Amino acid sequence: MKIWAVANQKGGVGKTTTAISLAGWLSLKNKKTLLVDLDPHGSMTSYFGLDPDSLEKSVYRVFQKAAAKQHMDINEVIQTTRFDNLSILPASTAIATLDKQLGSREGMGLVLAKQLLNLKDQYDYIFIDCPPMLGVLMINALAACHQLLIPVQTEHLALKGLDRMLRTLKMINRVRKAPLDYAIIPTMFDRRTRAAIECLRIMQKSYDPKALKKTIIPVDTKFREASSKGVPLPIYGSQTRGSKAYNLLLDTLLVE
Ligand SMILES: Nc1ncnc2c1ncn2[C@@H]1O[C@H](COP(=O)(O)OP(=O)(O)OP(=O)(O)O)[C@@H](O)[C@H]1O
Ligand SMILES: [Mg+2]
């Protein structure tokens, strides 16, 4: 079982889209895949037709039970989707309160890591979608994953978000036994604009070439179309530009 966290401390850079698209491809390749939504906005949860405002079975319960030191089978809150091989551990808006409730409590940073270990015979791959802010949820995701994926929109302002995320990673690495492996994924690239080309050039010049992915995710209006239908883009249209790019990206992630 391999676990990826998808995070960036900037909003709207393609985190949820990246998690859903890579998971969509893996499910098409008959790999048992789980999506974990750790964002209080619950965009991923809504994508699959669940309502984060009214869900009772959500990742919130996992943290509550852990805080109360009560046993819990994580399978109680995992739901199948209407797509083969694709399950979701949904978010509820209540997880926004977890920082206040648990932030300073000892041991709460490893809740998800411990629970996901119990799933190692059930799933081949897991993607954790993170909120854009640093807190107990992101800490949990970073502790649970084998690799961090950082989608970065190819526009100038987005580089600040990337820098912030890399600083967070540095801080996390100070308390880890080994540094967490990470990959930077340029997203929403519009090759017709000068700003996007310039931004990509700066990324290539300024960031670790081992981490910066050569596969670039292009702008593709089909992402919004697929999202309005609640279908991962690779399942909606495997031959769209965006789908093909995520498949290439997946190939490079699987050989690492
Ligand atoms: N490559 C792309 N081309 C065109 N639109 C895209 C692309 N990637 C994502 N989008 C669209 O951009 C919007 C933001 O993407 P997404 O929700 O994945 O970002 P996010 O980083 O998860 O945002 P948030 O921080 O709010 O959770 C969505 O409407 C999505 O459909
Ligand atoms: Mg999101």
Side-chain angles (χ1 to χ4, degrees):
M1 182 174 79
K2 179 154 184 175
I3 305 175
W4 283 287
V6 187
N8 187 332
Q9 277 154 272
K10 186 173 186 318
V13 294
K15 295 182 290 294
T16 303
T17 302
T18 296
I20 292 176
S21 301
L22 293 171
W25 269 119
L26 283 164
S27 73
L28 285 174
K29 294 170 200 266
N30 285 325
K31 302 292 181 197
K32 297 260 176 274
T33 308
L34 173 68
L35 286 163
V36 178
D37 191 356
L38 284 194
D39 189 346
H41 290 131
S43 324
M44 177 184 266
T45 298
S46 307
Y47 199 110
F48 291 96
L50 300 166
D51 179 8
D53 287 319
S54 61
L55 266 184
E56 276 185 24
K57 289 182 174 176
S58 82
V59 71
Y60 183 61
R61 193 180 289 179
V62 176
F63 285 94
Q64 273 210 315
K65 291 275 181 179
K69 295 199 164 48
Q70 286 172 357
H71 169 78
M72 173 180 185
D73 178 355
I74 190 172
N75 282 299
E76 282 172 28
V77 287
I78 292 176
Q79 309 196 22
T80 52
T81 67
R82 59 195 169 100
F83 308 103
D84 290 343
N85 305 311
L86 199 56
S87 297
I88 182 166
L89 171 44
S92 61
T93 32
I95 59 173
T97 62
L98 286 175
D99 264 308
K100 251 198 189 136
Q101 285 182 42
L102 318 170
S104 55
R105 277 211 227 168
E106 193 113 348
M108 293 315 286
L110 291 174
V111 171
L112 191 67
K114 285 183 188 154
Q115 278 286 8
L116 294 186
L117 264 185
N118 295 328
L119 298 174
K120 66 178 187 309
D121 298 327
Q122 279 170 260
Y123 294 97
D124 299 305
Y125 298 100
I126 299 181
F127 291 89
I128 308 168
D129 189 20
C130 292
M133 57 277 186
L134 178 59
V136 73
L137 292 163
M138 194 190 284
I139 299 283
N140 265 273
L142 297 182
C145 72
H146 301 114
Q147 190 182 31
L148 165 65
L149 306 181
I150 314 175
V152 181
Q153 189 177 351
T154 39
E155 57 132 60
H156 200 65
L157 270 179
L159 296 180
K160 282 210 168 72
L162 171 59
D163 290 338
R164 205 173 308 139
M165 192 63 228
L166 292 175
R167 279 201 297 277
T168 299
L169 184 60
K170 229 181 196 168
M171 187 186 83
I172 299 273
N173 280 339
R174 274 192 223 125
V175 296
R176 284 176 61 100
K177 283 193 208 105
L180 179 60
D181 188 24
Y182 71 98
I184 300 169
I185 303 161
T187 61
M188 304 188 202
F189 181 66
D190 185 348
R191 62 193 156 100
R192 294 163 306 181
T193 69
R194 211 181 242 254
I197 293 167
E198 176 63 12
C199 177
L200 194 61
R201 206 182 55 78
I202 294 171
M203 285 170 80
Q204 285 159 347
K205 206 175 68 185
S206 320
Y207 297 91
D208 183 352
K210 286 200 298 294
L212 182 64
K213 285 288 166 192
K214 292 195 178 59
T215 309
I216 296 156
I217 309 301
V219 166
D220 185 345
T221 51
K222 296 282 180 201
F223 281 109
R224 282 224 169 90
E225 211 175 292
S227 137
S228 71
K229 303 266 191 296
V231 182
L233 185 58
I235 300 174
Y236 184 74
S238 61
Q239 293 309 307
T240 64
R241 286 191 314 143
S243 273
K244 287 200 224 164
Y246 273 112
N247 197 20
L248 287 175
L249 174 68
L250 180 65
D251 283 343
T252 72
L253 292 174
L254 291 178
V255 295
E256 274 173 13

PDB file of all heavy atoms in Angstrom, residues 12-17 37 39 41-44 129-132, ligand 2:
ATOM      1  N   GLY A  12      -6.957  26.583  -4.278  1.00  0.00           N
ATOM      2  CA  GLY A  12      -7.306  26.595  -5.693  1.00  0.00           C
ATOM      3  C   GLY A  12      -6.183  26.295  -6.667  1.00  0.00           C
ATOM      4  O   GLY A  12      -6.178  26.794  -7.789  1.00  0.00           O
ATOM      5  N   VAL A  13      -5.230  25.462  -6.268  1.00  0.00           N
ATOM      6  CA  VAL A  13      -4.089  25.167  -7.144  1.00  0.00           C
ATOM      7  C   VAL A  13      -4.218  23.805  -7.833  1.00  0.00           C
ATOM      8  O   VAL A  13      -3.343  23.414  -8.607  1.00  0.00           O
ATOM      9  CB  VAL A  13      -2.749  25.208  -6.356  1.00  0.00           C
ATOM     10  CG1 VAL A  13      -2.455  26.618  -5.866  1.00  0.00           C
ATOM     11  CG2 VAL A  13      -2.753  24.222  -5.204  1.00  0.00           C
ATOM     12  N   GLY A  14      -5.292  23.082  -7.521  1.00  0.00           N
ATOM     13  CA  GLY A  14      -5.496  21.779  -8.157  1.00  0.00           C
ATOM     14  C   GLY A  14      -5.220  20.583  -7.244  1.00  0.00           C
ATOM     15  O   GLY A  14      -5.008  19.470  -7.728  1.00  0.00           O
ATOM     16  N   LYS A  15      -5.251  20.782  -5.939  1.00  0.00           N
ATOM     17  CA  LYS A  15      -5.007  19.659  -5.006  1.00  0.00           C
ATOM     18  C   LYS A  15      -6.072  18.564  -5.146  1.00  0.00           C
ATOM     19  O   LYS A  15      -5.751  17.398  -5.365  1.00  0.00           O
ATOM     20  CB  LYS A  15      -5.028  20.158  -3.544  1.00  0.00           C
ATOM     21  CG  LYS A  15      -3.919  21.129  -3.200  1.00  0.00           C
ATOM     22  CD  LYS A  15      -3.974  21.538  -1.738  1.00  0.00           C
ATOM     23  CE  LYS A  15      -5.158  22.435  -1.396  1.00  0.00           C
ATOM     24  NZ  LYS A  15      -5.129  23.762  -2.026  1.00  0.00           N
ATOM     25  N   THR A  16      -7.336  18.987  -5.007  1.00  0.00           N
ATOM     26  CA  THR A  16      -8.419  18.003  -5.050  1.00  0.00           C
ATOM     27  C   THR A  16      -8.485  17.337  -6.426  1.00  0.00           C
ATOM     28  O   THR A  16      -8.652  16.117  -6.533  1.00  0.00           O
ATOM     29  CB  THR A  16      -9.757  18.708  -4.698  1.00  0.00           C
ATOM     30  OG1 THR A  16      -9.600  19.320  -3.411  1.00  0.00           O
ATOM     31  CG2 THR A  16     -10.915  17.744  -4.647  1.00  0.00           C
ATOM     32  N   THR A  17      -8.299  18.147  -7.461  1.00  0.00           N
ATOM     33  CA  THR A  17      -8.326  17.617  -8.825  1.00  0.00           C
ATOM     34  C   THR A  17      -7.205  16.594  -9.038  1.00  0.00           C
ATOM     35  O   THR A  17      -7.399  15.555  -9.673  1.00  0.00           O
ATOM     36  CB  THR A  17      -8.171  18.783  -9.833  1.00  0.00           C
ATOM     37  OG1 THR A  17      -9.232  19.711  -9.585  1.00  0.00           O
ATOM     38  CG2 THR A  17      -8.202  18.319 -11.260  1.00  0.00           C
ATOM     39  N   ASP A  37     -10.606  12.650   2.514  1.00  0.00           N
ATOM     40  CA  ASP A  37     -10.828  14.099   2.461  1.00  0.00           C
ATOM     41  C   ASP A  37     -10.564  14.713   3.834  1.00  0.00           C
ATOM     42  O   ASP A  37     -11.301  14.458   4.785  1.00  0.00           O
ATOM     43  CB  ASP A  37     -12.278  14.381   2.025  1.00  0.00           C
ATOM     44  CG  ASP A  37     -12.496  15.858   1.699  1.00  0.00           C
ATOM     45  OD1 ASP A  37     -11.544  16.656   1.882  1.00  0.00           O
ATOM     46  OD2 ASP A  37     -13.607  16.210   1.254  1.00  0.00           O
ATOM     47  N   ASP A  39     -10.153  18.106   4.081  1.00  0.00           N
ATOM     48  CA  ASP A  39     -10.445  19.535   3.966  1.00  0.00           C
ATOM     49  C   ASP A  39     -11.834  19.842   4.531  1.00  0.00           C
ATOM     50  O   ASP A  39     -12.818  19.275   4.053  1.00  0.00           O
ATOM     51  CB  ASP A  39     -10.356  19.952   2.485  1.00  0.00           C
ATOM     52  CG  ASP A  39     -10.441  21.462   2.313  1.00  0.00           C
ATOM     53  OD1 ASP A  39     -10.832  22.154   3.276  1.00  0.00           O
ATOM     54  OD2 ASP A  39     -10.120  21.947   1.217  1.00  0.00           O
ATOM     55  N   HIS A  41     -13.775  22.097   3.967  1.00  0.00           N
ATOM     56  CA  HIS A  41     -14.721  22.517   2.930  1.00  0.00           C
ATOM     57  C   HIS A  41     -15.375  21.322   2.250  1.00  0.00           C
ATOM     58  O   HIS A  41     -16.422  21.438   1.636  1.00  0.00           O
ATOM     59  CB  HIS A  41     -14.027  23.387   1.875  1.00  0.00           C
ATOM     60  CG  HIS A  41     -13.650  24.719   2.397  1.00  0.00           C
ATOM     61  ND1 HIS A  41     -12.400  25.254   2.231  1.00  0.00           N
ATOM     62  CD2 HIS A  41     -14.345  25.622   3.108  1.00  0.00           C
ATOM     63  CE1 HIS A  41     -12.356  26.432   2.821  1.00  0.00           C
ATOM     64  NE2 HIS A  41     -13.520  26.666   3.372  1.00  0.00           N
ATOM     65  N   GLY A  42     -14.672  20.192   2.320  1.00  0.00           N
ATOM     66  CA  GLY A  42     -15.250  18.954   1.795  1.00  0.00           C
ATOM     67  C   GLY A  42     -15.498  18.944   0.303  1.00  0.00           C
ATOM     68  O   GLY A  42     -16.442  18.304  -0.168  1.00  0.00           O
ATOM     69  N   SER A  43     -14.645  19.624  -0.486  1.00  0.00           N
ATOM     70  CA  SER A  43     -14.885  19.651  -1.947  1.00  0.00           C
ATOM     71  C   SER A  43     -14.846  18.240  -2.524  1.00  0.00           C
ATOM     72  O   SER A  43     -15.638  17.898  -3.406  1.00  0.00           O
ATOM     73  CB  SER A  43     -13.834  20.472  -2.672  1.00  0.00           C
ATOM     74  OG  SER A  43     -13.436  21.564  -1.935  1.00  0.00           O
ATOM     75  N   MET A  44     -13.924  17.422  -2.029  1.00  0.00           N
ATOM     76  CA  MET A  44     -13.811  16.061  -2.571  1.00  0.00           C
ATOM     77  C   MET A  44     -15.039  15.233  -2.179  1.00  0.00           C
ATOM     78  O   MET A  44     -15.579  14.474  -2.986  1.00  0.00           O
ATOM     79  CB  MET A  44     -12.532  15.424  -2.022  1.00  0.00           C
ATOM     80  CG  MET A  44     -12.325  14.004  -2.444  1.00  0.00           C
ATOM     81  SD  MET A  44     -10.872  13.346  -1.635  1.00  0.00           S
ATOM     82  CE  MET A  44      -9.636  13.647  -2.875  1.00  0.00           C
ATOM     83  N   ASP A 129      -6.360  14.287   0.660  1.00  0.00           N
ATOM     84  CA  ASP A 129      -6.527  15.661   0.183  1.00  0.00           C
ATOM     85  C   ASP A 129      -6.470  16.596   1.386  1.00  0.00           C
ATOM     86  O   ASP A 129      -7.249  16.450   2.327  1.00  0.00           O
ATOM     87  CB  ASP A 129      -7.884  15.771  -0.529  1.00  0.00           C
ATOM     88  CG  ASP A 129      -8.068  17.095  -1.249  1.00  0.00           C
ATOM     89  OD1 ASP A 129      -7.056  17.766  -1.539  1.00  0.00           O
ATOM     90  OD2 ASP A 129      -9.221  17.461  -1.527  1.00  0.00           O
ATOM     91  N   CYS A 130      -5.554  17.535   1.374  1.00  0.00           N
ATOM     92  CA  CYS A 130      -5.336  18.389   2.552  1.00  0.00           C
ATOM     93  C   CYS A 130      -6.004  19.746   2.417  1.00  0.00           C
ATOM     94  O   CYS A 130      -6.164  20.272   1.319  1.00  0.00           O
ATOM     95  CB  CYS A 130      -3.835  18.639   2.723  1.00  0.00           C
ATOM     96  SG  CYS A 130      -2.943  17.166   3.195  1.00  0.00           S
ATOM     97  N   PRO A 131      -6.337  20.359   3.560  1.00  0.00           N
ATOM     98  CA  PRO A 131      -6.808  21.745   3.527  1.00  0.00           C
ATOM     99  C   PRO A 131      -5.633  22.650   3.225  1.00  0.00           C
ATOM    100  O   PRO A 131      -4.482  22.261   3.442  1.00  0.00           O
ATOM    101  CB  PRO A 131      -7.309  21.982   4.958  1.00  0.00           C
ATOM    102  CG  PRO A 131      -6.546  21.018   5.796  1.00  0.00           C
ATOM    103  CD  PRO A 131      -6.245  19.831   4.928  1.00  0.00           C
ATOM    104  N   PRO A 132      -5.887  23.892   2.748  1.00  0.00           N
ATOM    105  CA  PRO A 132      -4.759  24.768   2.391  1.00  0.00           C
ATOM    106  C   PRO A 132      -4.078  25.426   3.600  1.00  0.00           C
ATOM    107  O   PRO A 132      -3.191  26.242   3.412  1.00  0.00           O
ATOM    108  CB  PRO A 132      -5.389  25.798   1.468  1.00  0.00           C
ATOM    109  CG  PRO A 132      -6.841  25.726   1.691  1.00  0.00           C
ATOM    110  CD  PRO A 132      -7.171  24.419   2.311  1.00  0.00           C
TER     111      PRO A 132
HETATM  112 MG    MG B   2      -9.360  21.146  -2.561  1.00  0.00          MG
END
